[in-house]
Amino acid sequence: MSEQPPLVLVVEDEPDLADLYAAWLGDEYRVRTAYGGREALDQLDEADNQVDAILLDRRMPGLSGDEVLTAVRDRGIDCRVAMVTAVEPDFDILEMGFDDYLVKPVTSDTLRETVEGLLRRGEYDSEVQELFSLTSKKAMLESEKSANDLADNEEYQRLTDRIEELRERADESRDAVASDDEDYEKLFQDFDADA
């Protein structure tokens, strides 16, 4: 019996868009869709399937994507989450527990690459996952905010300090481990690309 492909939950209140994302991913992954926040949490409560990744819209009527994300993290659901939204990132993203952030519209290639990256990150230890998440947030803010806005924001400064601390630990780990493992090398290639 072969192992099942990873399960991706698409949470999007526009059914046509949710179904499009599901179609783009359906050849490589098992995909479930939820057309709102409450439906997403109901699906996550089902014990029959472990969700590996969630693509989550932020603005939804009823229960927002931000609230769904908080519930996912509060419940200790072990999966990677990418926000896929029309909401431009602001400093509020620094406190959010997502792994990646995409601003709509997105292409099928971008969506597939994002899911692939989320699943790959899920294999890494928690500090490396945190490093990827924080690096993603930093890149989003740097693309949206002026240098002055960034320099004046204490949360952003704490973010950059934490990234530097995690990078130093990753460098120490990389130096301590002699490995030809392709996945290990890919990790640092991905990290350097995200930086």
Side-chain angles (χ1 to χ4, degrees):
M1 180 185 280
S2 65
E3 186 177 313
Q4 290 188 345
L7 176 61
V8 178
L9 176 61
V10 175
V11 185
E12 168 63 59
D13 66 315
E14 294 181 37
D16 291 344
L17 192 54
D19 294 343
L20 177 63
Y21 292 168
W24 286 348
L25 299 170
D27 289 342
E28 296 178 53
Y29 308 104
R30 293 178 297 141
V31 181
R32 290 166 65 185
T33 53
Y35 303 121
R38 295 208 187 285
E39 184 181 343
L41 292 181
D42 289 345
Q43 288 195 34
L44 290 167
D45 284 339
E46 295 175 11
D48 63 332
N49 286 311
Q50 175 64 37
V51 173
D52 299 293
I54 300 173
L55 300 177
L56 181 60
D57 188 17
R58 279 190 80 177
R59 279 197 193 136
M60 296 184 291
L63 196 63
S64 74
D66 294 7
E67 293 169 309
V68 171
L69 178 61
T70 298
V72 165
R73 296 307 182 216
D74 287 349
R75 293 178 184 186
I77 298 172
D78 185 25
C79 67
R80 309 284 51 88
V81 178
M83 303 301 275
V84 184
T85 180
V87 178
E88 295 292 330
D90 204 344
F91 289 113
D92 65 334
I93 69 172
L94 294 174
E95 299 302 319
M96 297 175 68
F98 61 80
D99 298 284
D100 209 342
Y101 197 98
L102 301 176
V103 177
K104 294 176 184 174
V106 297
T107 66
S108 61
D109 288 343
T110 299
L111 202 66
R112 284 190 200 105
E113 289 169 7
T114 298
V115 170
E116 181 182 315
L118 290 174
L119 295 172
R120 190 172 47 248
R121 291 176 196 181
E123 297 172 3
Y124 304 144
D125 73 26
S126 60
E127 280 195 352
V128 174
Q129 289 178 24
E130 180 185 4
L131 179 58
F132 273 113
S133 176
L134 296 179
T135 303
S136 175
K137 291 175 183 181
K138 183 176 186 272
M140 287 303 300
L141 288 173
E142 288 174 349
S143 71
E144 297 294 324
K145 300 290 182 185
S146 73
N148 287 339
D149 287 342
L150 295 172
D152 292 341
N153 187 279
E154 288 180 26
E155 290 176 317
Y156 177 79
Q157 296 308 315
R158 283 193 297 272
L159 171 76
T160 56
D161 291 345
R162 179 65 177 156
I163 288 172
E164 185 58 34
E165 176 186 337
L166 291 170
R167 280 183 177 160
E168 287 174 10
R169 288 184 190 175
D171 287 345
E172 289 169 8
S173 295
R174 180 173 52 178
D175 293 343
V177 176
S179 173
D180 289 40
D181 185 342
E182 185 176 308
D183 289 337
Y184 184 82
E185 293 300 320
K186 179 70 174 148
L187 159 67
F188 288 100
Q189 291 171 357
D190 288 347
F191 170 71
D192 290 340
D194 286 345

